[in-house]
Amino acid sequence: MKYFRYKEEKIFRVLMLVSTLFIVLALAIIIFSILYKGLPMLSWEMISQTPKGGFYLGKEGGILNAIIGSFYLSVCSTLLALFVSLPLALFMNIYLKRYKFVLNTVRFFLDLLWGVPSIVYGAFGFIIMIHFGLRASLLAGIITVTLFIIPIMVRAMDEVFKTVPVGLYEASLSLGSTRSETAYRVFLRQCYPGIITAVLLAFGRGIGDAASVLFTTGFTDHIPVSLMQPTATLPLAIFFQLGAPIAEVQERAYAAAAILTFFILIISILARLSSGKFQRNKINF
Amino acid sequence: MMLQNREIRRLRDRLNVSWMIVILAIVLFLPLLLGLGLFVQSGLLLKELSIWNVLFTSQWMPMSGKFGLLSFILSSLMVTVLSLLIACPVCLLTAIHLTQYAKRYVLNIMHPVIDILAGIPSVIYGVWGILAVVPLVSKYIAPLFGVQTSGYTLLAGAIVLAIMIIPFILNILIEVFRSIPTELTEASLALGATRWQTIKFVILRKGFPGIISALGLGISRAFGETIAVLMVVGNVAKIPTGIFQPGYPLPALIANNYGEMMSIPMYQSALMFSALVLFVIVMLFNLASRIAITKFETK
Amino acid sequence: MKNSGKIITKDLNLFIGKQHILKNVNIVVPDNKITVILGPSGCGKTTLLKSMNRLTDLYPEMVLSGQILIDDKDILKAGAEVPEIRRKMGLLSQRPYPLPMSIYKNIAYGLKINGVSNHKELDDKVEYYLRLANLWDEVKDRLREPASTLSIGQQQRLCLARGLAVDPEIILADEPTSALDPLSSNAIEKQFVKLKSSYTIVVVTHILRQARRIADHIIFMYLGEVIEQGSANKFFNYPEMDKTREYLKGAFN
């Protein structure tokens, strides 16, 4: 009996180790297979030219249109979302701190929004687009992605602001600060690194999502020069070009996948670093 | 001078607060707006066909006005359940390992691994699925069961999906296990229980509601996942009867038919209705799990 | 006629749910003296102190009734003037909470939000208040460094200087030395004695010896009630109430 007790634990410990290794291995294989297939396709031509030869079936050229498009789309949406998320997260943790019930309700709503699949945001963005008579364009894509990443950003910031001790809040008020001064001058500074991490997280989501922009940005070989023009993005470039019957076009998809993976890795590393850097003024309690 | 400054500061405070409240109102209305928008758009379809007809028949022939969603809904359900069957044991075992046994350095490795896994875009998972999982299924797994297949099957979709939701479920499970007070474990150990018995009888039991909500959230995440699944699951619009058959989940239906739908109003309406169905199902799972988890936390 | 007292409370009651935290508190805090609110832990001292600059607003479960008069104005009715009321009262909490910025900016922050923008004036004032809190010599070469690099004792003096810089009339201190080593505590106590000619100082403490060292005026509380108040001399040498005598003998600690 006693012997069995230990045997069972041993078996499960092995299983646990195996599943932990499985996860690490899965990540390694994913990154390896993407880079293995994608890196050989990368060349200066690939990242410095737009696709040539008509529509997106042309054999020549690269994926500059998707890189630039993704960049425009995710930077603009992240900025817009920041403009909404930061005040909201601060409001929750400063003005609503008193009203526990309201605060929890707001958090609940945000969690729900966070759980809405991006394809639903895509469909909703499509409805908005039609309602306002827009065509599939960079602007429509930006609006959709902004909506999609706001809940992610707010909740991530909220988790950071939650950790500010009440004592610091009281100290700031005692100096005669108004509550918005407390918000933007004290809370924000205290939480600087966490906020950057939250923004990077949302940016990563924005740059990587395909389903939300599938309906709204359109797809084109050209680099957009105004908000009203359609645009390509990296995820869409992968998705559409991988399905093409021409090998050269598929190569562009693999190259785009390698670049996107590379971006995501960089963002993850930056997010890790930012919780170490920028800590200068933070008070540790 | 001093007074003037005070007035300005008060005004600025007011402005800030107003902006914050406006945003709050918009964000709180957003779920409602999402549902409502989709509902209005599906009006055209529901005027022609009864909601039961749409939900419980499986004939999808847009050109002849038949919009049965059943095969898509079932496909979605099957892929989701299958992926959960794969992800669930892995997540539970790993979460227990990380919270109960693992040394510092293991955690230091696993945290970034989970974060990166969670951050990889769905389309990348899709590419990986095509490169690795589909061949795996067609060359190795299917022949084991004596089946011939291209590999673009429910199983391939489920494997890809499982890897995608692992970081998501794992993070919640780690939270759940961490929130169980150490006094409880200590008390159990002090009674002479082994570490493993403590896990079985204290941690798992105490964390049970949390585990259930983590799985619920996993389901809702898996159910709405689009691009990655779409790329490997085969997309054949009939009710699948086995894991080595192709499926056609609901999100894939919506994503695939963009472009064609624009010319036919009924078609567009049907796709918007599909999005609504997806939204409602995901919301229900989400709602139930969130409520369960809040209950668990307050306990 | 001015009521003889900087802070006066009238029938102040505070509830948290059904718990009666402050029971009919009527106190008078005299001007330009150190008033010590004394009592065992959990008697409502800190809550009383926080209600004086309306930090109790942060906790909706706290229900206040009665009056708190500061210069004969009831602050519980102040409405939008609350930041101004708080400015008039510097707060020193149990442990220092420096703002997440440099040493210099910690002092300059309060000055800036109150409309000082001239650089020369800021520099001068920062130096002046750091000297006033007896910190200048220790930090003058590292003003741009984050406040978090200071020791806890220095941080508490920084918080004092920061509080003084917004030109308050009252200093509220909530067990300001409880997180400090004996030397730093001593420095803070000395500072209070030096400052009392120009400020009204209210110190909450449960340390009897500290009260003996610094108090001019004592308010003794027990379980939410004010048992006895009066000059320190009278309180320590000729206590009127039985509870006070027991406490002075050390019966509660």
Side-chain angles (χ1 to χ4, degrees):
Chain A
M1 177 63 204
K2 196 152 196 175
Y3 177 72
F4 179 73
R5 245 165 66 165
Y6 291 107
K7 189 132 196 180
E8 189 187 74
E9 172 160 17
K10 268 218 175 102
I11 293 169
F12 271 95
R13 286 203 65 172
V14 171
L15 285 177
M16 284 178 204
L17 206 64
V18 169
S19 41
T20 310
L21 282 176
F22 173 76
I23 292 176
V24 180
L25 210 66
L27 178 66
I29 292 176
I30 292 169
I31 292 179
F32 174 78
S33 52
I34 298 293
L35 294 185
Y36 180 77
K37 194 81 182 167
L39 281 183
M41 312 298 171
L42 281 181
S43 61
W44 178 243
E45 187 200 347
M46 190 60 91
I47 55 174
S48 66
Q49 288 183 19
T50 57
K52 300 272 172 354
F55 204 40
Y56 48 88
L57 293 179
K59 291 182 183 174
E60 308 291 311
I63 49 170
L64 184 66
N65 59 331
I67 297 176
I68 303 268
S70 260
F71 179 76
Y72 283 163
L73 183 76
S74 41
V75 168
C76 291
S77 337
T78 306
L79 287 180
L80 268 182
L82 181 65
F83 197 57
V84 169
S85 307
L86 187 62
L88 184 53
L90 284 167
F91 186 74
M92 287 165 64
N93 284 283
I94 289 184
Y95 291 83
L96 293 185
K97 205 179 177 74
R98 296 184 50 185
Y99 309 104
K100 281 273 145 40
F101 178 75
V102 181
L103 184 57
N104 285 332
T105 313
V106 174
R107 286 197 177 126
F108 188 78
F109 264 81
L110 286 167
D111 283 343
L112 282 187
L113 277 176
W114 196 60
V116 174
S118 63
I119 184 95
V120 173
Y121 278 103
F124 183 66
F126 179 74
I127 295 175
I128 295 182
M129 197 175 88
I130 291 184
H131 187 80
F132 290 103
L134 286 171
R135 288 184 40 229
S137 60
L138 184 56
L139 179 66
I142 290 173
I143 294 172
T144 313
V145 173
T146 305
L147 288 179
F148 166 60
I149 62 178
I150 281 175
I152 300 170
M153 209 190 257
V154 178
R155 278 302 264 130
M157 288 182 178
D158 178 41
E159 290 296 323
V160 182
F161 287 134
K162 248 192 210 170
T163 63
V164 176
V166 184
L168 190 63
Y169 186 11
E170 289 182 350
S172 169
L173 289 184
S174 304
L175 292 173
S177 326
T178 61
R179 283 188 284 188
S180 54
E181 281 160 353
T182 306
Y184 287 106
R185 297 200 181 185
V186 178
F187 270 55
L188 194 53
R189 287 190 80 114
Q190 170 75 7
C191 299
Y192 199 45
I195 298 305
I196 291 184
T197 310
V199 171
L200 283 172
L201 179 76
F203 182 79
R205 279 298 144 93
I207 204 170
D209 195 69
S212 63
V213 292
L214 200 57
F215 291 7
T216 44
T217 61
F219 192 78
T220 166
D221 284 350
H222 304 287
I223 295 169
V225 289
S226 93
L227 281 174
M228 290 307 169
Q229 287 182 354
T231 180
T233 73
L234 280 170
L236 288 182
I238 300 168
F239 182 61
F240 285 134
Q241 299 187 352
L242 201 61
I246 304 160
E248 284 86 349
V249 179
Q250 286 190 9
E251 280 176 11
R252 288 210 294 263
Y254 290 123
I259 289 178
L260 183 56
T261 308
F262 189 62
F263 279 157
I264 294 293
L265 288 179
I266 295 225
I267 290 168
S268 299
I269 292 169
L270 281 182
R272 290 247 140 220
L273 285 182
S274 88
S275 36
K277 275 251 168 98
F278 311 116
Q279 291 272 29
R280 231 173 90 80
N281 282 311
K282 187 177 183 203
I283 312 291
N284 291 308
F285 296 99
Chain B
M1 163 69 203
M2 199 72 172
L3 192 84
Q4 222 181 359
N5 174 45
R6 214 187 294 160
E7 298 281 303
I8 293 170
R9 284 174 54 209
R10 202 181 300 159
L11 194 70
R12 206 182 291 150
D13 192 46
R14 286 262 167 78
L15 280 176
N16 270 317
V17 174
S18 318
W19 173 233
M20 288 165 172
I21 289 177
V22 169
I23 293 172
L24 181 68
I26 293 175
V27 170
L28 288 188
F29 268 108
L30 198 55
L32 203 70
L33 220 60
L34 274 167
L36 207 66
L38 294 172
F39 182 72
V40 169
Q41 290 287 316
S42 18
L44 194 62
L45 177 79
L46 295 180
K47 229 188 314 178
E48 294 289 316
L49 298 167
S50 82
I51 190 163
W52 304 116
N53 185 316
V54 177
L55 286 181
F56 296 113
T57 61
S58 59
Q59 273 188 311
W60 179 262
M61 286 183 264
M63 297 311 153
S64 45
K66 291 199 172 123
F67 297 98
L69 291 178
L70 187 64
S71 61
F72 306 104
I73 296 176
L74 284 181
S75 273
S76 272
L77 277 178
M78 288 170 81
V79 174
T80 303
V81 169
L82 209 53
S83 73
L84 224 66
L85 286 180
I86 302 169
C88 178
V90 175
C91 287
L92 266 177
L93 287 166
T94 311
I96 294 173
H97 184 210
L98 293 182
T99 51
Q100 308 297 322
Y101 293 103
K103 299 215 170 61
R104 189 82 235 152
Y105 77 93
V106 178
L107 291 177
N108 284 345
I109 297 171
M110 286 310 284
H111 274 302
V113 167
I114 299 172
D115 279 359
I116 295 175
L117 216 47
I120 292 181
S122 132
V123 69
I124 298 289
Y125 277 105
V127 174
W128 170 68
I130 292 176
L131 289 177
V133 180
V134 168
L136 179 79
V137 169
S138 81
K139 285 202 193 111
Y140 299 99
I141 301 181
L144 269 185
F145 296 86
V147 183
Q148 284 271 322
T149 163
S150 64
Y152 290 89
T153 55
L154 281 184
L155 182 64
I159 293 174
V160 172
L161 198 50
I163 307 288
M164 290 183 75
I165 58 174
I166 279 175
F168 182 73
I169 299 179
L170 190 54
N171 269 331
I172 305 172
L173 282 182
I174 289 176
E175 285 282 298
V176 167
F177 291 146
R178 287 240 168 96
S179 72
I180 294 169
T182 36
E183 288 84 353
L184 257 160
T185 7
E186 279 164 13
S188 163
L189 290 173
L191 289 174
T194 63
R195 188 86 218 198
W196 176 244
Q197 285 172 320
T198 308
I199 290 168
K200 265 199 314 193
F201 298 121
V202 179
I203 306 271
L204 287 182
R205 196 152 300 175
K206 194 82 187 139
F208 188 69
I211 296 173
I212 294 299
S213 0
L215 296 184
L217 290 173
I219 291 178
S220 76
R221 169 70 25 134
F223 206 89
E225 187 42 58
T226 313
I227 297 290
V229 186
L230 152 74
M231 288 165 83
V232 297
V233 83
N235 303 328
V236 174
K238 73 179 192 33
I239 297 174
T241 50
I243 59 171
F244 292 113
Q245 294 207 346
Y248 202 163
L250 206 49
L253 170 76
I254 306 169
N256 258 341
N257 291 292
Y258 165 76
E260 287 171 51
M261 70 189 196
M262 299 287 269
S263 42
I264 312 164
M266 269 290 267
Y267 200 171
Q268 181 183 326
S269 182
L271 289 183
M272 288 301 156
F273 180 70
S274 316
L276 181 66
V277 171
L278 187 64
F279 177 70
V280 170
I281 294 176
V282 169
M283 274 297 161
L284 284 181
F285 269 107
N286 229 308
L287 208 66
S289 326
R290 297 273 176 211
I291 288 171
I293 218 166
T294 329
K295 285 258 165 67
F296 170 71
E297 273 167 2
T298 47
K299 205 164 57 180
Chain C
M1 195 198 84
K2 191 175 183 277
N3 272 320
S4 55
K6 184 78 179 169
I7 308 171
I8 297 166
T9 69
K10 287 186 175 160
D11 297 329
L12 189 68
N13 279 287
L14 189 146
F15 289 88
I16 298 180
K18 287 205 171 104
Q19 264 181 299
H20 205 167
I21 307 292
L22 297 178
K23 300 171 187 161
N24 274 324
V25 171
N26 289 292
I27 57 166
V28 177
V29 174
D31 216 347
N32 294 346
K33 287 203 168 104
I34 298 180
T35 300
V36 170
I37 303 179
L38 188 65
S41 313
C43 68
K45 308 168 298 225
T46 299
T47 313
L48 176 60
L49 193 80
K50 284 189 177 169
S51 64
M52 287 179 187
N53 72 349
R54 288 195 44 177
L55 281 179
T56 44
D57 286 6
L58 297 186
Y59 310 93
E61 63 273 18
M62 292 186 178
V63 181
L64 264 171
S65 65
Q67 288 181 310
I68 301 176
L69 304 176
I70 291 181
D71 292 331
D72 292 323
K73 257 195 350 214
D74 187 358
I75 62 151
L76 295 183
K77 289 203 188 104
E81 287 295 331
V82 175
E84 182 55 18
I85 291 168
R86 294 198 180 117
R87 187 197 58 79
K88 284 209 296 201
M89 286 177 265
L91 177 79
L92 218 50
S93 45
Q94 295 197 5
R95 40 155 315 164
Y97 284 101
L99 301 175
M101 33 186 108
S102 70
I103 296 169
Y104 179 91
K105 282 191 179 156
N106 254 278
I107 313 287
Y109 173 83
L111 296 167
K112 275 188 188 159
I113 62 172
N114 283 303
V116 181
S117 53
N118 180 318
H119 275 282
K120 182 81 184 60
E121 196 182 346
L122 276 176
D123 288 349
D124 289 346
K125 287 207 165 165
V126 168
E127 179 175 347
Y128 174 78
Y129 287 110
L130 281 173
R131 280 189 193 285
L132 198 61
N134 209 5
L135 192 61
W136 175 254
D137 293 328
E138 291 160 59
V139 301
K140 65 181 171 201
D141 301 321
R142 44 191 283 209
L143 289 174
R144 302 286 160 185
E145 277 178 42
S148 51
T149 57
L150 295 173
S151 75
I152 295 282
Q154 288 171 325
Q155 284 184 13
Q156 191 65 306
R157 274 179 286 152
L158 181 72
C159 289
L160 179 62
R162 176 185 76 186
L164 295 176
V166 291
D167 198 20
E169 296 160 18
I170 300 167
I171 297 170
L172 304 176
D174 180 11
E175 308 201 11
T177 59
S178 63
L180 307 186
D181 60 284
L183 270 178
S184 310
S185 306
N186 201 287
I188 293 277
E189 284 178 16
K190 275 199 181 133
Q191 219 52 46
F192 283 155
V193 175
K194 223 167 78 185
L195 292 170
K196 73 178 177 188
S197 55
S198 358
Y199 300 91
T200 301
I201 300 176
V202 185
V203 182
V204 162
T205 184
H206 63 269
I207 310 166
L208 198 53
R209 273 177 298 152
Q210 186 171 50
R212 280 190 204 273
R213 284 196 294 269
I214 59 175
D216 300 310
H217 193 85
I218 297 268
I219 293 165
F220 173 56
M221 290 184 71
Y222 183 67
L223 294 179
E225 280 178 281
V226 174
I227 306 293
E228 188 166 346
Q229 56 181 318
S231 78
N233 182 30
K234 178 171 151 292
F235 179 84
F236 286 117
N237 298 323
Y238 315 101
E240 279 171 7
M241 312 296 286
D242 291 339
K243 275 260 161 43
T244 316
R245 262 173 246 136
E246 278 174 52
Y247 180 73
L248 291 175
K249 270 187 232 151
F252 302 139
N253 284 338

